[in-house]
Amino acid sequence: MTPLLQVENIAKMYGARIGCTDVSFDLYPGEVMGIVGESGSGKSTLLNCLAGHLTPDSGAVRFDTRAEGLRDTVTMSEPERRMLGRTDWAFVHQHARDGLRMNVSAGGNVGERLMAVNARHYGEIRGKAIDWLGRVEISEDRIDDRPTAFSGGMQQRLQIARNLVTGPRLVFMDEPTGGLDVSVQARLLDLLRGLVREMGLSAIIVTHDLAVVRLLADRLMVMKDGHVIEAGLTDQVLDDPQHAYTQLLVSSVLQV
Amino acid sequence: MIQIENVSKSFTLHNQGAAVIPVMAGASLSVTAGECVALVGASGSGKSTLMRMIYGNYLTASGRIMVGDTDVVTAAPREIIELRRRTLGYVSQFLRVVPRVSTLDVVAEPLLVTGTDREIATEKAKTLLDRLNIPERLWQLSPTTFSGGEQQRVNIARGFAYPYPALLLDEPTASLDPTNRATVLAMIVEAKARGAAIIGIFHDHAARDEICDRQFDVTAFTPGLAA
């Protein structure tokens, strides 16, 4: 089987400081990978390098494109990369307002991504938007409201609907449940897990919440000071951590 | 079906003075299809550790653990995921689920991820829950609020939903009343009859003697404990 994403020796420096370095992994279709680490460990830098938001200093990020198979997204042209960003990729930001247009209606937010891939029929676009709002549990009568009128949890769900409406194959998520209260978090996790299973999509989730990765991710990478210090099956890394830092991380979780 | 050869394991606690605790050395065990083997030994002798090593939940330092055609010791994460999906089931002592997911879906999930039609999977889940005496009015609720015994039975229903050729059972009859205990034992006997290779930990000695073909004393492979 061809990996969906093949990452080889990604490195990104901020001047003399290390953003992330020596990161390599393969992600297969249907797999969900978690990246954990304390703040400043390089996990967001890595995610942005993978998603094409930052240009890595060295290394390759090969994506299995529908038309041409594995292509290095670092060296492909900007329009090609942007096309991927609108179709096969999706990016869920930690703060929903970074991923939404706040002065456009909820329906418009979902429809915009469809129009970017050449959907033109108003009725169809609106129908699809209603369908997706329903899937993320936003009632149909809120379709013409702007996201500014939504709660934080609703905004986050709207952002997910906007991202998934074009049927991406790979979703990047940066702290998707950060800043939400626990009941909303649980609802979002349930939603994400269902979508991953039904749509067979792959995802890379950056978070510092170990409970979130245990429930969502098949595999886990632990980062510290820009390096991947441990990687493996999620429950194995959490239950039998090998590295001193991972052991500290796992033993520091407060029990509820 | 399950072949364990000369495995060893130690824990290194980096944050507690880098203490190295050897927990297992030179253990070998082979379980064929249709056989049920009980792991025995005092608490702390490594029964659960060995079981978790077979499941790939703990890393194994050396040796080989073959489950079907997969060597768990060297397999890549995705190979272990695939192994757990279709070959190796595990009924742990504790239920761990996503909040808000209904009991019916929790039990049907192992079938859904292997591509079973939703209707058939739900039907099977209903049959199992019914057999294990989980009242129908609880099926649409999340099991997180259930009593200990109910959670244990949901866990068993989930573990037996898919017909895994190899099964690991960690105290499947603990905290069950006599009726449900008998049901679970019958389910284990049925699994054996369809050819499942089973490794179990039973503190319930009567149950152990009733369903297990032989015992495997882990103490013999515990460094510092062996006589």
Side-chain angles (χ1 to χ4, degrees):
Chain A
M1 190 160 61
T2 342
L4 184 67
L5 193 73
Q6 202 171 42
V7 178
E8 211 180 289
N9 285 323
I10 283 293
K12 173 77 186 169
M13 304 291 287
Y14 295 114
R17 278 183 303 116
I18 296 172
C20 64
T21 182
D22 270 345
V23 183
S24 301
F25 66 88
D26 288 343
L27 187 76
Y28 286 82
E31 267 185 345
V32 178
M33 191 170 79
I35 304 176
V36 296
E38 59 198 349
S39 50
S41 59
K43 50 193 192 323
S44 292
T45 297
L46 173 63
L47 191 72
N48 284 316
C49 285
L50 300 180
H53 296 173
L54 278 174
T55 311
D57 297 332
S58 63
V61 181
R62 292 187 202 92
F63 180 74
D64 184 20
T65 57
R66 288 180 211 234
E68 294 164 81
L70 284 176
R71 293 272 321 271
D72 187 356
T73 62
V74 177
T75 53
M76 72 170 45
S77 71
E78 183 66 24
E80 282 179 295
R81 201 161 44 235
R82 290 181 74 97
M83 191 61 198
L84 269 185
R86 290 202 292 267
T87 53
D88 274 350
W89 290 2
F91 197 101
V92 176
H93 294 265
Q94 176 176 8
H95 302 290
R97 35 185 71 234
D98 296 336
L100 291 174
R101 286 191 195 279
M102 298 305 284
N103 50 0
V104 173
S105 72
N109 264 289
V110 179
E112 186 190 13
R113 245 182 92 104
L114 285 171
M115 290 193 283
V117 290
N118 293 327
R120 288 292 175 267
H121 187 283
Y122 178 79
E124 275 169 22
I125 293 172
R126 193 172 167 95
K128 249 191 157 162
I130 290 171
D131 173 41
W132 268 94
L133 289 179
R135 287 205 219 185
V136 298
E137 303 175 16
I138 295 174
S139 74
E140 194 183 327
D141 58 17
R142 302 298 300 270
I143 188 169
D144 294 317
D145 291 350
R146 291 180 186 181
T148 43
F150 286 2
S151 70
M154 278 174 82
Q155 288 180 2
Q156 194 57 288
R157 279 179 276 136
L158 177 61
Q159 191 193 183
I160 289 169
R162 171 181 161 95
N163 271 289
L164 296 186
V165 68
T166 48
R169 292 191 292 154
L170 176 60
V171 186
F172 302 97
M173 297 190 219
D174 192 359
E175 302 271 7
T177 59
L180 300 175
D181 70 63
V182 282
S183 64
V184 180
Q185 243 185 52
R187 207 160 149 175
L188 201 66
L189 286 177
D190 175 22
L191 172 76
L192 285 174
R193 235 170 98 108
L195 292 173
V196 165
R197 193 179 61 211
E198 279 156 31
M199 300 175 67
L201 43 84
S202 307
I204 298 177
I205 302 177
V206 162
T207 179
H208 53 243
D209 190 335
L210 297 182
V212 168
V213 288
R214 192 187 274 277
L215 289 178
L216 278 183
D218 306 310
R219 289 165 57 193
L220 187 60
M221 259 177 18
V222 184
M223 290 190 75
K224 183 172 167 49
D225 302 329
H227 296 269
V228 174
I229 53 165
E230 190 163 353
L233 210 59
T234 302
D235 59 289
Q236 180 262 304
V237 173
L238 294 179
D239 292 339
D240 187 16
Q242 305 293 308
H243 192 279
Y245 174 69
T246 319
Q247 292 187 355
L248 184 68
L249 200 70
V250 171
S251 63
S252 304
V253 176
L254 301 175
Q255 300 278 328
V256 182
Chain B
M1 186 66 212
I2 305 175
Q3 286 250 7
I4 303 169
E5 286 166 33
N6 203 19
V7 295
S8 65
K9 165 86 189 157
S10 63
F11 290 110
T12 308
L13 307 174
H14 292 285
N15 299 306
Q16 294 176 42
V20 178
I21 304 170
V23 287
M24 189 158 295
S28 297
L29 168 68
S30 161
V31 183
T32 55
E35 195 180 20
C36 177
V37 176
L39 301 182
V40 294
S43 179
S45 58
K47 300 185 295 292
S48 293
T49 299
L50 180 59
M51 199 171 259
R52 284 168 170 239
M53 283 158 67
I54 301 168
Y55 198 56
N57 181 229
Y58 281 0
L59 289 180
T60 303
S62 65
R64 239 158 61 105
I65 301 178
M66 295 301 294
V67 180
D69 300 326
T70 311
D71 181 0
V72 177
V73 178
T74 54
R78 71 190 170 89
E79 292 171 306
I80 294 186
I81 292 168
E82 191 51 34
L83 182 76
R84 290 177 179 183
R85 205 166 275 175
R86 297 180 188 277
T87 311
L88 183 62
Y90 178 43
V91 178
S92 68
Q93 289 184 67
F94 307 101
L95 183 68
R96 190 174 250 143
V97 293
V98 183
R100 264 183 22 121
V101 177
S102 77
T103 299
L104 213 48
D105 283 351
V106 167
V107 176
E109 199 193 355
L111 288 168
L112 294 175
V113 296
T114 44
T116 308
D117 197 64
R118 180 168 275 280
E119 253 174 62
I120 298 169
T122 311
E123 222 25 68
K124 177 90 200 251
K126 283 179 180 167
T127 314
L128 281 163
L129 287 170
D130 199 39
R131 194 169 172 197
L132 287 159
N133 296 315
I134 304 284
E136 192 171 345
R137 64 196 153 82
L138 299 180
W139 293 358
Q140 294 305 325
L141 306 177
S142 161
T144 43
T145 53
F146 289 7
S147 76
E150 284 167 345
Q151 291 201 1
Q152 170 81 347
R153 279 178 277 146
V154 172
N155 213 7
I156 291 167
R158 180 183 160 91
F160 281 87
Y162 183 84
Y164 301 104
L167 261 178
L168 305 172
L169 308 173
D170 194 347
E171 298 244 29
T173 55
S175 69
L176 294 184
D177 57 62
T179 321
N180 288 312
R181 177 177 166 276
T183 309
V184 173
L185 292 183
M187 286 168 68
I188 299 173
V189 171
E190 284 162 25
K192 272 173 71 176
R194 68 162 167 80
I198 301 173
I199 296 181
I201 298 173
F202 302 88
H203 283 147
D204 176 351
H205 290 200
R208 183 173 76 199
D209 297 341
E210 192 182 325
I211 56 170
C212 293
D213 302 303
R214 58 196 167 94
Q215 300 186 358
F216 180 74
D217 191 351
V218 181
T219 320
F221 307 101
T222 318
L225 266 189

